Amino acid sequence: MSEETKAKSVEAVEEKLQNLSTKETAAAAPADKKADHPEHAGEEDAEGKTAPAAEGEKKKKKKKKSKKKKGSHGISQFYTDGVYPQGEWMDHPGDGNLKRTTDEEYRYLDNKNSSAWNDYRKGAEIHRRVRKMAKEKIKPGMKMIEITELIENGVRAYSDTNDTKKAGMGFPCGVSLNHCAAHYTPNAGDKTVLNYDDVMKVDFGVHVNGRIIDCAFTHTFNDKYDNLLKAVKEATNTGIKAAGIDVRLTDIGEQIEEVMESYEVELDGKTYPVKCIRNLNGHNIKDFQIHGGKSVPIVKNGDTTRMEEGETFAIETFGSTGKGYVVGSGECSHYAKNLSAPANAPIRLERAKKLMTTIENNFGSLPFCRRYLDRIGEDKYLLALNTLCKAGLVSDYPPLNDTRGCYTAQYEHTILLHPTRKEVVSRGDDY
């Protein structure tokens, strides 16, 4: 693909992303304003009369429609052969795994799953492009809701489909600030603004056919936090290096803890040790299931469960200048269908039954947030949502906070445990 063609493709995606934001704004506009705008010429006014449309405007409309039919404006336009870039390759640790890289049987098993690996790589490429765009555009003074919509609309624009269960957001974009380590995304009406001295964890997922990329970074403007970010980034990279087929989970946690807690950070004349947030973990990922049942600790915890061939893991670490322990508190925004819910659990509230159907049809087992319900036209649903949570059909995930006044940081990558080697599929030039 020529540089000129690439530039045009990027412009097309950016135009689509802009249109997504414009549509969401226009949807809230009063109906009587539409007739005043040339775009709505030819539509009925409040009295049922039709405003005449200029012939030139009609031609423009036809041109726009025919233009939209040409090809894709998503990520696939950059990869017309449908093959997406591989991540960083690393050998599985341990002498017993060295033969895997050349063994024909292992290579055959790896090739059998090439379609799944390609789905992960497509999601990872979307993640890289969106986070690059976000890092360039995020500035102090922006509302948190602007930041999350910038990122989520970017993912939607690249995803080649409007079917949220086929591709798109793997889970809501978290933008947790300072002492809040995870699970904060703004609900409608949230007026929180990003400040120069904030430490923001940007954690968002992208899925393609249910294969989820879980990847996060920490965004700051003030360089006084650099050592905190360095500690967590180094700890995550240590966990990635230690992970692999047949590796015990506790051994990964032990190595992460050793690296993380070798750092300290000076803030406003006071020195703080960087602590692992011991009750936050990495995890394995299954199709359409962000937490697959195994947890990757970031401290030594005695768990002798081993990683296995073919598994996908999110290696994530959290560092803190506080206690190194989080509790759930504050207004909830994150939710997900409870896969362990009892079959045929009774739902007495009719509105709750309808909401459950909406959740299953639009998200399935993928996590969602209240903004996503707003986006698809649900309203006055909070009582019904709380009813579903109390019945155990939906799980709620409130913000996770360390001691107020402290600072927390996070870095995360998704790794694929191929039969031959491991692939840090979400690795980019940035981290």
Side-chain angles (χ1 to χ4, degrees), residues 157-192:
Y158 275 120
S159 289
D160 291 314
T161 180
N162 292 323
D163 186 341
T164 54
K165 291 170 76 174
K166 188 175 180 181
M169 294 301 299
F171 56 84
C173 177
V175 283
S176 306
L177 295 175
N178 304 325
H179 68 284
C180 181
H183 293 175
Y184 163 73
T185 195
N187 291 320
D190 189 325
K191 293 181 170 54
T192 306

PDB file of all heavy atoms in Angstrom, residues 157-192:
ATOM      1  N   ALA A 157     -14.723   2.569  15.301  1.00  0.00           N
ATOM      2  CA  ALA A 157     -14.434   2.987  13.930  1.00  0.00           C
ATOM      3  C   ALA A 157     -13.530   1.998  13.211  1.00  0.00           C
ATOM      4  O   ALA A 157     -13.648   1.789  12.006  1.00  0.00           O
ATOM      5  CB  ALA A 157     -13.790   4.377  13.935  1.00  0.00           C
ATOM      6  N   TYR A 158     -12.619   1.363  13.930  1.00  0.00           N
ATOM      7  CA  TYR A 158     -11.672   0.423  13.332  1.00  0.00           C
ATOM      8  C   TYR A 158     -12.220  -1.003  13.231  1.00  0.00           C
ATOM      9  O   TYR A 158     -11.578  -1.853  12.608  1.00  0.00           O
ATOM     10  CB  TYR A 158     -10.386   0.380  14.163  1.00  0.00           C
ATOM     11  CG  TYR A 158      -9.387   1.458  13.827  1.00  0.00           C
ATOM     12  CD1 TYR A 158      -8.973   2.373  14.789  1.00  0.00           C
ATOM     13  CD2 TYR A 158      -8.820   1.552  12.557  1.00  0.00           C
ATOM     14  CE1 TYR A 158      -8.026   3.363  14.500  1.00  0.00           C
ATOM     15  CE2 TYR A 158      -7.880   2.527  12.255  1.00  0.00           C
ATOM     16  CZ  TYR A 158      -7.488   3.429  13.230  1.00  0.00           C
ATOM     17  OH  TYR A 158      -6.557   4.396  12.933  1.00  0.00           O
ATOM     18  N   SER A 159     -13.367  -1.283  13.843  1.00  0.00           N
ATOM     19  CA  SER A 159     -13.772  -2.677  14.044  1.00  0.00           C
ATOM     20  C   SER A 159     -14.479  -3.352  12.877  1.00  0.00           C
ATOM     21  O   SER A 159     -14.853  -4.519  12.971  1.00  0.00           O
ATOM     22  CB  SER A 159     -14.659  -2.784  15.296  1.00  0.00           C
ATOM     23  OG  SER A 159     -13.868  -2.589  16.454  1.00  0.00           O
ATOM     24  N   ASP A 160     -14.707  -2.646  11.778  1.00  0.00           N
ATOM     25  CA  ASP A 160     -15.279  -3.246  10.565  1.00  0.00           C
ATOM     26  C   ASP A 160     -16.704  -3.764  10.726  1.00  0.00           C
ATOM     27  O   ASP A 160     -17.191  -4.489   9.866  1.00  0.00           O
ATOM     28  CB  ASP A 160     -14.410  -4.414  10.058  1.00  0.00           C
ATOM     29  CG  ASP A 160     -13.067  -3.944   9.512  1.00  0.00           C
ATOM     30  OD1 ASP A 160     -13.058  -2.973   8.744  1.00  0.00           O
ATOM     31  OD2 ASP A 160     -12.042  -4.542   9.857  1.00  0.00           O
ATOM     32  N   THR A 161     -17.371  -3.463  11.836  1.00  0.00           N
ATOM     33  CA  THR A 161     -18.733  -3.943  12.035  1.00  0.00           C
ATOM     34  C   THR A 161     -19.423  -3.117  13.113  1.00  0.00           C
ATOM     35  O   THR A 161     -18.764  -2.558  13.988  1.00  0.00           O
ATOM     36  CB  THR A 161     -18.751  -5.426  12.466  1.00  0.00           C
ATOM     37  OG1 THR A 161     -20.101  -5.865  12.660  1.00  0.00           O
ATOM     38  CG2 THR A 161     -17.964  -5.654  13.750  1.00  0.00           C
ATOM     39  N   ASN A 162     -20.751  -3.053  13.025  1.00  0.00           N
ATOM     40  CA  ASN A 162     -21.544  -2.431  14.088  1.00  0.00           C
ATOM     41  C   ASN A 162     -22.108  -3.465  15.046  1.00  0.00           C
ATOM     42  O   ASN A 162     -22.796  -3.111  16.003  1.00  0.00           O
ATOM     43  CB  ASN A 162     -22.695  -1.617  13.465  1.00  0.00           C
ATOM     44  CG  ASN A 162     -22.194  -0.399  12.711  1.00  0.00           C
ATOM     45  OD1 ASN A 162     -21.241   0.245  13.139  1.00  0.00           O
ATOM     46  ND2 ASN A 162     -22.819  -0.088  11.580  1.00  0.00           N
ATOM     47  N   ASP A 163     -21.839  -4.738  14.767  1.00  0.00           N
ATOM     48  CA  ASP A 163     -22.315  -5.826  15.622  1.00  0.00           C
ATOM     49  C   ASP A 163     -21.377  -5.951  16.816  1.00  0.00           C
ATOM     50  O   ASP A 163     -20.248  -6.434  16.689  1.00  0.00           O
ATOM     51  CB  ASP A 163     -22.353  -7.131  14.821  1.00  0.00           C
ATOM     52  CG  ASP A 163     -22.975  -8.283  15.596  1.00  0.00           C
ATOM     53  OD1 ASP A 163     -23.051  -8.199  16.845  1.00  0.00           O
ATOM     54  OD2 ASP A 163     -23.363  -9.284  14.959  1.00  0.00           O
ATOM     55  N   THR A 164     -21.827  -5.512  17.989  1.00  0.00           N
ATOM     56  CA  THR A 164     -20.968  -5.460  19.176  1.00  0.00           C
ATOM     57  C   THR A 164     -20.533  -6.842  19.654  1.00  0.00           C
ATOM     58  O   THR A 164     -19.560  -6.961  20.397  1.00  0.00           O
ATOM     59  CB  THR A 164     -21.686  -4.732  20.334  1.00  0.00           C
ATOM     60  OG1 THR A 164     -22.965  -5.356  20.549  1.00  0.00           O
ATOM     61  CG2 THR A 164     -21.895  -3.271  20.009  1.00  0.00           C
ATOM     62  N   LYS A 165     -21.239  -7.894  19.228  1.00  0.00           N
ATOM     63  CA  LYS A 165     -20.855  -9.247  19.635  1.00  0.00           C
ATOM     64  C   LYS A 165     -19.908  -9.895  18.626  1.00  0.00           C
ATOM     65  O   LYS A 165     -19.327 -10.939  18.891  1.00  0.00           O
ATOM     66  CB  LYS A 165     -22.104 -10.113  19.836  1.00  0.00           C
ATOM     67  CG  LYS A 165     -22.922  -9.680  21.060  1.00  0.00           C
ATOM     68  CD  LYS A 165     -24.268 -10.360  21.140  1.00  0.00           C
ATOM     69  CE  LYS A 165     -24.176 -11.788  21.599  1.00  0.00           C
ATOM     70  NZ  LYS A 165     -25.515 -12.390  21.808  1.00  0.00           N
ATOM     71  N   LYS A 166     -19.744  -9.244  17.483  1.00  0.00           N
ATOM     72  CA  LYS A 166     -18.812  -9.756  16.476  1.00  0.00           C
ATOM     73  C   LYS A 166     -17.422  -9.141  16.649  1.00  0.00           C
ATOM     74  O   LYS A 166     -16.407  -9.816  16.519  1.00  0.00           O
ATOM     75  CB  LYS A 166     -19.349  -9.459  15.075  1.00  0.00           C
ATOM     76  CG  LYS A 166     -18.547 -10.107  13.971  1.00  0.00           C
ATOM     77  CD  LYS A 166     -19.201  -9.891  12.611  1.00  0.00           C
ATOM     78  CE  LYS A 166     -18.388 -10.560  11.499  1.00  0.00           C
ATOM     79  NZ  LYS A 166     -18.999 -10.340  10.166  1.00  0.00           N
ATOM     80  N   ALA A 167     -17.393  -7.851  16.950  1.00  0.00           N
ATOM     81  CA  ALA A 167     -16.117  -7.157  17.189  1.00  0.00           C
ATOM     82  C   ALA A 167     -16.401  -5.806  17.822  1.00  0.00           C
ATOM     83  O   ALA A 167     -17.507  -5.274  17.705  1.00  0.00           O
ATOM     84  CB  ALA A 167     -15.335  -6.978  15.888  1.00  0.00           C
ATOM     85  N   GLY A 168     -15.409  -5.243  18.481  1.00  0.00           N
ATOM     86  CA  GLY A 168     -15.555  -3.931  19.112  1.00  0.00           C
ATOM     87  C   GLY A 168     -14.945  -3.911  20.491  1.00  0.00           C
ATOM     88  O   GLY A 168     -13.894  -4.524  20.737  1.00  0.00           O
ATOM     89  N   MET A 169     -15.606  -3.225  21.422  1.00  0.00           N
ATOM     90  CA  MET A 169     -15.093  -3.110  22.782  1.00  0.00           C
ATOM     91  C   MET A 169     -15.161  -4.461  23.503  1.00  0.00           C
ATOM     92  O   MET A 169     -16.215  -5.095  23.555  1.00  0.00           O
ATOM     93  CB  MET A 169     -15.893  -2.074  23.572  1.00  0.00           C
ATOM     94  CG  MET A 169     -15.742  -0.643  23.078  1.00  0.00           C
ATOM     95  SD  MET A 169     -14.025  -0.038  23.099  1.00  0.00           S
ATOM     96  CE  MET A 169     -13.620  -0.156  24.846  1.00  0.00           C
ATOM     97  N   GLY A 170     -14.023  -4.884  24.037  1.00  0.00           N
ATOM     98  CA  GLY A 170     -13.990  -6.135  24.807  1.00  0.00           C
ATOM     99  C   GLY A 170     -14.495  -5.933  26.211  1.00  0.00           C
ATOM    100  O   GLY A 170     -15.009  -6.852  26.847  1.00  0.00           O
ATOM    101  N   PHE A 171     -14.338  -4.714  26.716  1.00  0.00           N
ATOM    102  CA  PHE A 171     -14.891  -4.273  27.998  1.00  0.00           C
ATOM    103  C   PHE A 171     -14.772  -2.751  28.039  1.00  0.00           C
ATOM    104  O   PHE A 171     -14.032  -2.162  27.248  1.00  0.00           O
ATOM    105  CB  PHE A 171     -14.182  -4.929  29.191  1.00  0.00           C
ATOM    106  CG  PHE A 171     -12.686  -4.726  29.224  1.00  0.00           C
ATOM    107  CD1 PHE A 171     -12.122  -3.580  29.773  1.00  0.00           C
ATOM    108  CD2 PHE A 171     -11.842  -5.695  28.713  1.00  0.00           C
ATOM    109  CE1 PHE A 171     -10.756  -3.402  29.814  1.00  0.00           C
ATOM    110  CE2 PHE A 171     -10.458  -5.527  28.742  1.00  0.00           C
ATOM    111  CZ  PHE A 171      -9.915  -4.378  29.291  1.00  0.00           C
ATOM    112  N   PRO A 172     -15.506  -2.078  28.938  1.00  0.00           N
ATOM    113  CA  PRO A 172     -15.491  -0.611  28.945  1.00  0.00           C
ATOM    114  C   PRO A 172     -14.104  -0.027  29.203  1.00  0.00           C
ATOM    115  O   PRO A 172     -13.272  -0.641  29.890  1.00  0.00           O
ATOM    116  CB  PRO A 172     -16.452  -0.266  30.094  1.00  0.00           C
ATOM    117  CG  PRO A 172     -17.331  -1.453  30.236  1.00  0.00           C
ATOM    118  CD  PRO A 172     -16.467  -2.635  29.906  1.00  0.00           C
ATOM    119  N   CYS A 173     -13.867   1.146  28.657  1.00  0.00           N
ATOM    120  CA  CYS A 173     -12.591   1.832  28.858  1.00  0.00           C
ATOM    121  C   CYS A 173     -12.511   2.385  30.278  1.00  0.00           C
ATOM    122  O   CYS A 173     -13.280   3.272  30.651  1.00  0.00           O
ATOM    123  CB  CYS A 173     -12.443   2.966  27.849  1.00  0.00           C
ATOM    124  SG  CYS A 173     -10.938   3.931  28.082  1.00  0.00           S
ATOM    125  N   GLY A 174     -11.586   1.869  31.070  1.00  0.00           N
ATOM    126  CA  GLY A 174     -11.354   2.376  32.417  1.00  0.00           C
ATOM    127  C   GLY A 174     -10.364   3.529  32.390  1.00  0.00           C
ATOM    128  O   GLY A 174      -9.372   3.483  31.659  1.00  0.00           O
ATOM    129  N   VAL A 175     -10.647   4.568  33.157  1.00  0.00           N
ATOM    130  CA  VAL A 175      -9.747   5.734  33.248  1.00  0.00           C
ATOM    131  C   VAL A 175      -9.580   6.094  34.733  1.00  0.00           C
ATOM    132  O   VAL A 175      -9.808   7.230  35.132  1.00  0.00           O
ATOM    133  CB  VAL A 175     -10.289   6.923  32.420  1.00  0.00           C
ATOM    134  CG1 VAL A 175     -10.041   6.721  30.934  1.00  0.00           C
ATOM    135  CG2 VAL A 175     -11.783   7.146  32.673  1.00  0.00           C
ATOM    136  N   SER A 176      -9.179   5.129  35.509  1.00  0.00           N
ATOM    137  CA  SER A 176      -9.100   5.283  36.964  1.00  0.00           C
ATOM    138  C   SER A 176      -8.011   6.280  37.356  1.00  0.00           C
ATOM    139  O   SER A 176      -6.897   6.239  36.825  1.00  0.00           O
ATOM    140  CB  SER A 176      -8.839   3.920  37.613  1.00  0.00           C
ATOM    141  OG  SER A 176      -9.808   2.984  37.184  1.00  0.00           O
ATOM    142  N   LEU A 177      -8.330   7.153  38.314  1.00  0.00           N
ATOM    143  CA  LEU A 177      -7.429   8.242  38.687  1.00  0.00           C
ATOM    144  C   LEU A 177      -6.809   8.054  40.069  1.00  0.00           C
ATOM    145  O   LEU A 177      -7.494   7.678  41.019  1.00  0.00           O
ATOM    146  CB  LEU A 177      -8.187   9.574  38.669  1.00  0.00           C
ATOM    147  CG  LEU A 177      -8.715  10.059  37.315  1.00  0.00           C
ATOM    148  CD1 LEU A 177      -9.554  11.321  37.496  1.00  0.00           C
ATOM    149  CD2 LEU A 177      -7.572  10.310  36.345  1.00  0.00           C
ATOM    150  N   ASN A 178      -5.505   8.323  40.134  1.00  0.00           N
ATOM    151  CA  ASN A 178      -4.778   8.458  41.394  1.00  0.00           C
ATOM    152  C   ASN A 178      -4.918   7.246  42.309  1.00  0.00           C
ATOM    153  O   ASN A 178      -4.431   6.169  41.978  1.00  0.00           O
ATOM    154  CB  ASN A 178      -5.196   9.768  42.074  1.00  0.00           C
ATOM    155  CG  ASN A 178      -4.976  10.957  41.141  1.00  0.00           C
ATOM    156  OD1 ASN A 178      -4.027  10.971  40.361  1.00  0.00           O
ATOM    157  ND2 ASN A 178      -5.865  11.938  41.189  1.00  0.00           N
ATOM    158  N   HIS A 179      -5.618   7.369  43.458  1.00  0.00           N
ATOM    159  CA  HIS A 179      -5.718   6.250  44.379  1.00  0.00           C
ATOM    160  C   HIS A 179      -6.671   5.172  43.888  1.00  0.00           C
ATOM    161  O   HIS A 179      -6.677   4.054  44.404  1.00  0.00           O
ATOM    162  CB  HIS A 179      -6.173   6.729  45.775  1.00  0.00           C
ATOM    163  CG  HIS A 179      -7.589   7.232  45.805  1.00  0.00           C
ATOM    164  ND1 HIS A 179      -7.959   8.469  45.316  1.00  0.00           N
ATOM    165  CD2 HIS A 179      -8.730   6.651  46.254  1.00  0.00           C
ATOM    166  CE1 HIS A 179      -9.255   8.636  45.470  1.00  0.00           C
ATOM    167  NE2 HIS A 179      -9.759   7.544  46.035  1.00  0.00           N
ATOM    168  N   CYS A 180      -7.486   5.480  42.883  1.00  0.00           N
ATOM    169  CA  CYS A 180      -8.371   4.470  42.268  1.00  0.00           C
ATOM    170  C   CYS A 180      -7.536   3.700  41.247  1.00  0.00           C
ATOM    171  O   CYS A 180      -7.003   4.275  40.299  1.00  0.00           O
ATOM    172  CB  CYS A 180      -9.562   5.131  41.595  1.00  0.00           C
ATOM    173  SG  CYS A 180     -10.699   3.950  40.840  1.00  0.00           S
ATOM    174  N   ALA A 181      -7.431   2.389  41.464  1.00  0.00           N
ATOM    175  CA  ALA A 181      -6.557   1.574  40.614  1.00  0.00           C
ATOM    176  C   ALA A 181      -7.267   0.995  39.402  1.00  0.00           C
ATOM    177  O   ALA A 181      -6.643   0.766  38.361  1.00  0.00           O
ATOM    178  CB  ALA A 181      -5.957   0.434  41.442  1.00  0.00           C
ATOM    179  N   ALA A 182      -8.579   0.718  39.520  1.00  0.00           N
ATOM    180  CA  ALA A 182      -9.274   0.036  38.426  1.00  0.00           C
ATOM    181  C   ALA A 182     -10.787   0.191  38.538  1.00  0.00           C
ATOM    182  O   ALA A 182     -11.317   0.588  39.582  1.00  0.00           O
ATOM    183  CB  ALA A 182      -8.900  -1.452  38.422  1.00  0.00           C
ATOM    184  N   HIS A 183     -11.465  -0.154  37.440  1.00  0.00           N
ATOM    185  CA  HIS A 183     -12.930  -0.256  37.362  1.00  0.00           C
ATOM    186  C   HIS A 183     -13.673   1.074  37.491  1.00  0.00           C
ATOM    187  O   HIS A 183     -14.819   1.098  37.908  1.00  0.00           O
ATOM    188  CB  HIS A 183     -13.473  -1.255  38.398  1.00  0.00           C
ATOM    189  CG  HIS A 183     -13.087  -2.661  38.127  1.00  0.00           C
ATOM    190  ND1 HIS A 183     -13.384  -3.704  38.986  1.00  0.00           N
ATOM    191  CD2 HIS A 183     -12.403  -3.222  37.090  1.00  0.00           C
ATOM    192  CE1 HIS A 183     -12.909  -4.830  38.503  1.00  0.00           C
ATOM    193  NE2 HIS A 183     -12.306  -4.566  37.346  1.00  0.00           N
ATOM    194  N   TYR A 184     -13.009   2.172  37.106  1.00  0.00           N
ATOM    195  CA  TYR A 184     -13.746   3.439  37.028  1.00  0.00           C
ATOM    196  C   TYR A 184     -13.860   3.856  35.573  1.00  0.00           C
ATOM    197  O   TYR A 184     -12.859   3.997  34.863  1.00  0.00           O
ATOM    198  CB  TYR A 184     -13.059   4.558  37.815  1.00  0.00           C
ATOM    199  CG  TYR A 184     -13.561   5.948  37.407  1.00  0.00           C
ATOM    200  CD1 TYR A 184     -14.833   6.392  37.786  1.00  0.00           C
ATOM    201  CD2 TYR A 184     -12.783   6.792  36.609  1.00  0.00           C
ATOM    202  CE1 TYR A 184     -15.316   7.642  37.385  1.00  0.00           C
ATOM    203  CE2 TYR A 184     -13.251   8.043  36.208  1.00  0.00           C
ATOM    204  CZ  TYR A 184     -14.508   8.453  36.593  1.00  0.00           C
ATOM    205  OH  TYR A 184     -14.990   9.687  36.187  1.00  0.00           O
ATOM    206  N   THR A 185     -15.080   4.028  35.117  1.00  0.00           N
ATOM    207  CA  THR A 185     -15.372   4.705  33.863  1.00  0.00           C
ATOM    208  C   THR A 185     -16.563   5.609  34.159  1.00  0.00           C
ATOM    209  O   THR A 185     -17.431   5.241  34.960  1.00  0.00           O
ATOM    210  CB  THR A 185     -15.681   3.704  32.730  1.00  0.00           C
ATOM    211  OG1 THR A 185     -15.611   4.384  31.458  1.00  0.00           O
ATOM    212  CG2 THR A 185     -17.060   3.069  32.860  1.00  0.00           C
ATOM    213  N   PRO A 186     -16.608   6.808  33.589  1.00  0.00           N
ATOM    214  CA  PRO A 186     -17.673   7.742  33.970  1.00  0.00           C
ATOM    215  C   PRO A 186     -19.050   7.288  33.508  1.00  0.00           C
ATOM    216  O   PRO A 186     -19.207   6.762  32.407  1.00  0.00           O
ATOM    217  CB  PRO A 186     -17.267   9.042  33.270  1.00  0.00           C
ATOM    218  CG  PRO A 186     -16.390   8.613  32.139  1.00  0.00           C
ATOM    219  CD  PRO A 186     -15.672   7.398  32.615  1.00  0.00           C
ATOM    220  N   ASN A 187     -20.038   7.492  34.370  1.00  0.00           N
ATOM    221  CA  ASN A 187     -21.434   7.337  33.976  1.00  0.00           C
ATOM    222  C   ASN A 187     -21.910   8.655  33.369  1.00  0.00           C
ATOM    223  O   ASN A 187     -21.255   9.689  33.501  1.00  0.00           O
ATOM    224  CB  ASN A 187     -22.298   6.974  35.192  1.00  0.00           C
ATOM    225  CG  ASN A 187     -22.003   5.578  35.706  1.00  0.00           C
ATOM    226  OD1 ASN A 187     -21.793   4.645  34.929  1.00  0.00           O
ATOM    227  ND2 ASN A 187     -22.002   5.418  37.026  1.00  0.00           N
ATOM    228  N   ALA A 188     -23.064   8.637  32.716  1.00  0.00           N
ATOM    229  CA  ALA A 188     -23.625   9.861  32.137  1.00  0.00           C
ATOM    230  C   ALA A 188     -23.765  10.934  33.212  1.00  0.00           C
ATOM    231  O   ALA A 188     -24.189  10.647  34.326  1.00  0.00           O
ATOM    232  CB  ALA A 188     -24.989   9.559  31.518  1.00  0.00           C
ATOM    233  N   GLY A 189     -23.369  12.148  32.876  1.00  0.00           N
ATOM    234  CA  GLY A 189     -23.479  13.256  33.825  1.00  0.00           C
ATOM    235  C   GLY A 189     -22.252  13.460  34.689  1.00  0.00           C
ATOM    236  O   GLY A 189     -22.166  14.445  35.429  1.00  0.00           O
ATOM    237  N   ASP A 190     -21.291  12.542  34.610  1.00  0.00           N
ATOM    238  CA  ASP A 190     -20.056  12.668  35.397  1.00  0.00           C
ATOM    239  C   ASP A 190     -19.248  13.845  34.851  1.00  0.00           C
ATOM    240  O   ASP A 190     -18.894  13.883  33.671  1.00  0.00           O
ATOM    241  CB  ASP A 190     -19.257  11.369  35.280  1.00  0.00           C
ATOM    242  CG  ASP A 190     -18.058  11.322  36.233  1.00  0.00           C
ATOM    243  OD1 ASP A 190     -17.437  12.374  36.472  1.00  0.00           O
ATOM    244  OD2 ASP A 190     -17.740  10.226  36.717  1.00  0.00           O
ATOM    245  N   LYS A 191     -18.953  14.817  35.704  1.00  0.00           N
ATOM    246  CA  LYS A 191     -18.248  16.026  35.269  1.00  0.00           C
ATOM    247  C   LYS A 191     -16.770  16.030  35.668  1.00  0.00           C
ATOM    248  O   LYS A 191     -16.104  17.066  35.601  1.00  0.00           O
ATOM    249  CB  LYS A 191     -18.940  17.273  35.838  1.00  0.00           C
ATOM    250  CG  LYS A 191     -20.330  17.509  35.250  1.00  0.00           C
ATOM    251  CD  LYS A 191     -20.977  18.763  35.825  1.00  0.00           C
ATOM    252  CE  LYS A 191     -22.243  19.149  35.072  1.00  0.00           C
ATOM    253  NZ  LYS A 191     -23.231  18.084  34.966  1.00  0.00           N
ATOM    254  N   THR A 192     -16.249  14.877  36.085  1.00  0.00           N
ATOM    255  CA  THR A 192     -14.840  14.796  36.492  1.00  0.00           C
ATOM    256  C   THR A 192     -13.933  15.216  35.340  1.00  0.00           C
ATOM    257  O   THR A 192     -14.132  14.804  34.190  1.00  0.00           O
ATOM    258  CB  THR A 192     -14.480  13.361  36.929  1.00  0.00           C
ATOM    259  OG1 THR A 192     -15.387  12.937  37.932  1.00  0.00           O
ATOM    260  CG2 THR A 192     -13.056  13.300  37.465  1.00  0.00           C
TER     261      THR A 192
END
